[in-house]
Amino acid sequence: MVRRYLRLLGIQLKASGLLALQYRADFFTEGLTSLFWTFTALAPLFVVYGERPVVEGWGFGEALLVVGWFTLLQGILEGAINPSLTGVVEHIRKGTLDFVLLKPADAQFLVSTQRFLPWRAFNVLTGLGLFVYAFAQLGRGPSLPGLLSSVLLLCTSTLLLYSLWILTVSAAFFVVRVDNLTHLFTSIFDFARWPSSVFQGVAKGALTLVFTYVIPLALMTTFPAEAMLGRLAPASLVGAVVGSVAFAWVARRVWLRSIGHYTSASS
């Protein structure tokens, strides 16, 4: 069963790659555009740290690690998660989701892997480049346990991001148009470029709690950065793993229940 789905994923990736390479100029143009926006997004960080060396316990190099994780996850979101799942909304709106549901494979897997944008890999490479630059600023490298923990947290962060998108897209079964919801989610995700402790002074720390437990942005970028720095508590690492699995389970249940409300074009 696993081999069958891996083979299906390989076919979907190959098809997306061939489609992207049909327009090679667009491939490199989109890549350069991604790089431009990434470096533009760094401007606020230079402005803030130009006034003070440390903000809520985070120095410039340490905060740069958070931006690196944000950039890396943004590449995964826009290259592997967003293109496929936004297509689900169109399927529901036109009543053409039948073509997916009738295929002999899991519907959630099919709608999650139907399209990839390879040029967003530039964001992933830029994120890795920011890690190198951040540790050069810090004058040291990550420890081996910290590096292994951050790799584990990359998996949990991707799972969280995917689960949140499944929950958002599932709303389309009830309200059809979720454009505003997706834009709202993208806007909220922008807060992940800052360490979560920066928001402690907002609403008596309520925003930090929201970004940790309700919309777990802190688990996606701040926790992996802290793991790289070797200061993430083992309990927090376990909490991130358990929390991401719980989010994935809830998202799966919501997806299955939402399909029950689907009205096809032939109904």
Side-chain angles (χ1 to χ4, degrees):
M1 179 66 75
V2 174
R3 182 180 296 178
R4 179 186 170 207
Y5 278 95
L6 286 175
R7 183 183 174 192
L8 187 56
L9 177 62
I11 293 171
Q12 301 277 48
L13 284 169
K14 183 179 180 181
S16 296
L18 291 174
L19 183 64
L21 288 175
Q22 284 182 340
Y23 308 97
R24 297 182 183 181
D26 288 351
F27 184 90
F28 291 107
T29 302
E30 291 288 346
L32 291 173
T33 303
S34 297
L35 286 175
F36 172 77
W37 284 116
T38 299
F39 286 111
T40 302
L42 287 174
L45 200 68
F46 284 102
V47 172
V48 170
Y49 282 95
E51 296 293 329
R52 59 191 75 176
V54 177
V55 177
E56 294 292 344
W58 288 78
F60 175 74
E62 296 164 340
L64 205 57
L65 284 176
V66 179
V67 178
W69 276 102
F70 171 79
T71 306
L72 191 154
L73 289 176
Q74 192 178 40
I76 294 174
L77 173 66
E78 296 181 356
I81 298 176
N82 198 338
S84 294
L85 293 183
T86 50
V88 179
V89 179
E90 285 300 313
H91 278 308
I92 296 171
R93 187 180 303 161
K94 297 177 180 176
T96 55
L97 193 62
D98 313 50
F99 301 115
V100 177
L101 297 177
L102 291 174
K103 290 180 179 176
D106 183 78
Q108 184 177 341
F109 177 83
L110 289 176
V111 299
S112 302
T113 58
Q114 59 186 341
R115 191 183 177 202
F116 297 93
L117 299 180
W119 53 75
R120 291 300 179 189
F122 279 92
N123 283 60
V124 177
L125 296 175
T126 304
L128 296 177
L130 286 174
F131 293 155
V132 174
Y133 180 64
F135 278 110
Q137 290 288 314
L138 293 170
R140 64 180 178 89
S143 63
L144 182 59
L147 203 57
L148 294 175
S149 298
S150 62
V151 171
L152 176 61
L153 288 171
L154 173 61
C155 299
T156 62
S157 300
T158 304
L159 187 59
L160 279 170
L161 205 53
Y162 170 72
S163 301
L164 286 170
W165 254 101
I166 285 291
L167 290 173
T168 303
V169 168
S170 294
F173 288 95
F174 302 94
V175 296
V176 182
R177 293 193 65 86
V178 294
D179 299 20
N180 291 333
L181 278 177
T182 57
H183 291 153
L184 176 64
F185 176 80
T186 305
S187 300
I188 291 175
F189 182 62
D190 275 345
F191 286 101
R193 72 177 70 244
W194 298 98
S196 59
S197 59
V198 169
F199 304 105
Q200 284 181 350
V202 181
K204 298 181 179 179
L207 204 55
T208 301
L209 292 175
V210 169
F211 287 160
T212 302
Y213 298 106
V214 182
I215 307 172
L217 301 181
L219 274 64
M220 298 180 197
T221 57
T222 303
F223 278 31
E226 287 184 327
M228 278 183 152
L229 293 167
R231 64 190 193 196
L232 183 69
S236 298
L237 179 62
V238 173
V241 173
V242 173
S244 63
V245 172
F247 252 87
W249 182 82
V250 171
R252 176 67 176 175
R253 302 310 303 172
V254 170
W255 167 262
L256 292 175
R257 183 173 289 271
S258 299
I259 287 180
H261 291 267
Y262 171 65
T263 303
S264 69
S266 58
S267 298

